[in-house]
Amino acid sequence: MTPADSLRLILLSSLWGMSFIFMRVAVPEFGPVPLILVRMGIGALLLLPLLLSLRYLQLVRENWRALLLLGLINHVMPFILLALATVRLEAGFTSLINATTPLFTALLGALFFSTPVQRRQYLGLALAFGGVYVLSADRLDFALGGDGWFILSALGATFCYGVASNYSKTHLSHLPVRVLAAGSSAMSALILLVPGLWLWPAEPISGLAWANALGLAVFSTTVAFLLYFGLISSAGATATSTVTFLVPVSALLWGFLLLDERLSLQVVVGMAITLAGTAIATGLLQLKRRALPPLATTPDATLDATPVDTPHDPRCSPQSRAPSETVTTHLRKRRTP
C-alpha cells in the first residue's frame, strides 16, 4: 500500500466513523427512515454521473431486480437499523457492534452460501462475540425502552451486511463496482421515497440536524463510496478491508471530542477483544502454529545418518548397489544377519 493509499484509508475510516456522529445528532429530529431517505436520495443523485454511459445504463436495466434487492439489504435495512440504534446508544458503542460485520459474513457464508470456514475462523467468531458481550453485558435490558433492543438493532444491521456481502459476491460479482454503488443507491432511494415522506416529521427541523444529515449524505456516503472503490482498485480488497478496524477507533475518537462520550475501561477492553476476534476470523491476524520438535537421535542413529558412501567401504561403491538405492536401504541391508 502506497503512502497515498494509506492516507485515503485513514480518510475513509474518518468519514465512516463520522457517519455515527451524524446519525446520533440528526436522528432525534428526523427519525430513522426520513434521515436515511435524505442520505440515500442525495447520495444517489451525486453518484448517478458514474452511470453516464450506455453500457452502464444497460447493465442497470438488465440487473435492476438484483440491484433493488442489494439496495434493500445493503443500504435501506442496515442504515435504518443503525440510525435507530443511535437514538439510544453512543456513536462509538454502535460503531464497535458494527465492526462485527465480517463475522456475520463468514458465518452466513458457511451456513447458506457454501463458503468454507477454517478452524481459526471459529475461534475468531467466538472471541469477537465474546467482545460484544463484554461491551454490552450491563446494558442488555429488554424491558420497555431498555438498551437491549437498540443493541439488537445494531446487530441486525451487521446481519444484513453479512447477507448482502455474500449475495453480491455470489450473484453480482460480474458487475462493475460503479454500477453496484450507484445502481444500488438509486434503488435504495426509490424504496425509501414513500415511507420516508410518509414518516417525515411534522415539526420543523433545525439547521444543526440538516447540516448533519447533509454531512451524512455527502461525506459519509458519496465521498466515502468513491474512496472505498478507488482503494479497492489501487490497494486491493484485502488491504482495504482493514478499514473495518479503523472505523470504530475513529468513531470513538469523534464521539469523545464532539459529543463528550465517555471512554470507559469496559469499552476499551471490549473493543480490543472484538477487533482481535474479527482480525483472526478474517485472516488479517494469523495464528502461528507451534513447530514440531526435532526427532530425538541416538548415537547409533547419528552414526547411521552419516554418509556411508566413502572410499573406505567397498560395499558402498557404485558397483555394489543399484543407482536407485538410498542410504536407508543400504543400512537396512548392512544390518540383515
Side-chain angles (χ1 to χ4, degrees), residues 48-243:
L48 279 179
L50 295 177
L51 299 178
L52 293 182
S53 165
L54 290 178
R55 172 174 171 263
Y56 295 139
L57 291 174
Q58 179 68 15
L59 288 173
V60 171
R61 190 180 69 82
E62 292 173 354
N63 297 274
W64 71 269
R65 292 181 181 85
L67 291 171
L68 184 71
L69 179 58
L70 181 64
L72 178 65
I73 60 178
N74 195 54
H75 301 318
V76 175
M77 293 176 62
F79 286 176
I80 289 175
L81 289 170
L82 286 174
L84 177 62
T86 56
V87 171
R88 178 63 64 87
L89 305 178
E90 298 86 353
F93 186 92
T94 309
S95 73
L96 284 171
I97 297 178
N98 187 63
T100 62
T101 294
L103 308 183
F104 281 102
T105 301
L107 191 59
L108 293 170
L111 291 175
F112 302 109
F113 294 90
S114 303
T115 303
V117 178
Q118 301 176 2
R119 283 187 296 177
R120 62 168 176 78
Q121 290 180 293
Y122 288 115
L123 172 62
L125 289 169
L127 189 62
F129 284 120
V132 172
Y133 178 77
V134 170
L135 280 171
S136 55
D138 59 344
R139 304 183 67 170
L140 292 176
D141 177 13
F142 292 98
L144 185 62
D147 288 351
W149 299 108
F150 297 93
I151 292 172
L152 284 182
S153 178
L155 286 172
T158 64
F159 179 87
C160 291
Y161 285 139
V163 175
S165 177
N166 283 287
Y167 173 77
S168 60
K169 182 170 61 176
T170 304
H171 299 285
L172 297 173
S173 59
H174 63 287
L175 293 179
V177 291
R178 64 173 62 201
V179 173
L180 289 175
S184 62
S185 296
M187 296 300 176
S188 300
L190 290 176
I191 294 172
L192 287 162
L193 184 60
V194 173
L197 293 177
W198 181 266
L199 296 172
W200 195 266
E203 298 295 325
I205 299 172
S206 68
L208 178 63
W210 268 112
N212 280 272
L214 292 174
L216 181 65
V218 175
F219 298 111
S220 297
T221 304
T222 307
V223 176
F225 276 0
L226 296 175
L227 281 172
Y228 177 71
F229 292 120
L231 272 172
I232 289 178
S233 299
S234 61
T238 301
T240 305
S241 67
T242 57
V243 74

